[in-house]
Amino acid sequence: MNGNLFVFRPGGPSFWNVFNDWPLLISTMSCVEGRKMIEFDDSLAPCEIPAGQWPMKDVMWGGFGPRPGVPRTVVHILSGAEFTNFRMIGGQITILNEVIEPFPSPVSDIANGDHVQIGLRDDCGNTQIVNQGGVPMFDLRSNSALFFVQNCLLGMPLGTLPTHPLIRQRAGSHLTINLLGQNQTGPNLVSSETGASVLFGALSSAAQVAIDQTSITNSGGTYDFGPQGRIQRQVVPRPPTPPATSSQIFNKPNVLIRCDGTSPGFTQGLPWIAHGFTIGNSTVELYSGGQEVVVAEVVGEAHLAVRPHPGDTIDGASGPVHISKHGSRTFVSDGVSNWITISEVRQP
């Protein structure tokens, strides 16, 4: 038996390092020195964390599985549950924070300069954290913190259930969220006050951040984006399908569109910058600032144009632009309403 591994499996018998009673697990774990891990198993009954003060120093959470049709163990945090020194969350787990007012946030002891680690490597399953109660899971107060988030669905909605901000910060707090690996960050992740700020540091080319972060700005907070990596472009239509002879519909940036400009030609439409791109297979709108769309005429005819979505512009103008035969244009989104041409190739 691994003396530092504790399994929480409600609905079954307790034996060795397997517990069906949460307070007993915590009491036993407190007698063990060093790094510890709690593995949650909801295969027999729901994993629910009851009200109480639960120490988590040097403790990582992880999930049992996956099981057929169940990608991750689900852990429910109930009102009144509070954790001290909870800084590490592993993979293969969905955490549903269900705390409502007037109860405090489950994690509210983050000191200035603390680090929080969420998620693991690509081969260890992903983590999903969703706030379904009205109280954020993490309350930074006025402290600044650094979150390292790897291969995580951070604040991404679970089905059609409503979500609320996962993190709260007061004036003076500066939160940096470093996104590594294959991350999807949901809308309205942080609730901020005036004088508080958030930096979304998308350090991985596969990181995606929802465009709607108005829970930061509604009360006067600010946010910015760090590096947004480029990825291999999606080719539309993909060979051996012939080049497009009509406008192609797509909802992901970093796309190369192969077009046939033979007469009578057509006009390729660009998606709506603020509402036309989505994260993965969800309906969550994606922030697209700095990302690209390339439109190329590949047949050798000159009857091809590109137009912005109504309300958007290309280089500040609302009308279409022309693509020459065997030519191309590379457009970069400003994340709001304007496509900027950064490259144009013309046939001599």
Side-chain angles (χ1 to χ4, degrees), residues 273 312-317 332-340:
I273 289 177
D312 287 351
T313 57
I314 295 177
D315 299 324
V332 171
S333 161
D334 71 350
V336 181
S337 62
N338 185 44
W339 292 100
I340 302 168

Side-chain angles (χ1 to χ4, degrees), residues 3 17 86 178 267 279 348:
N17 65 332
F86 188 26
N178 282 335
T267 299
I279 292 180

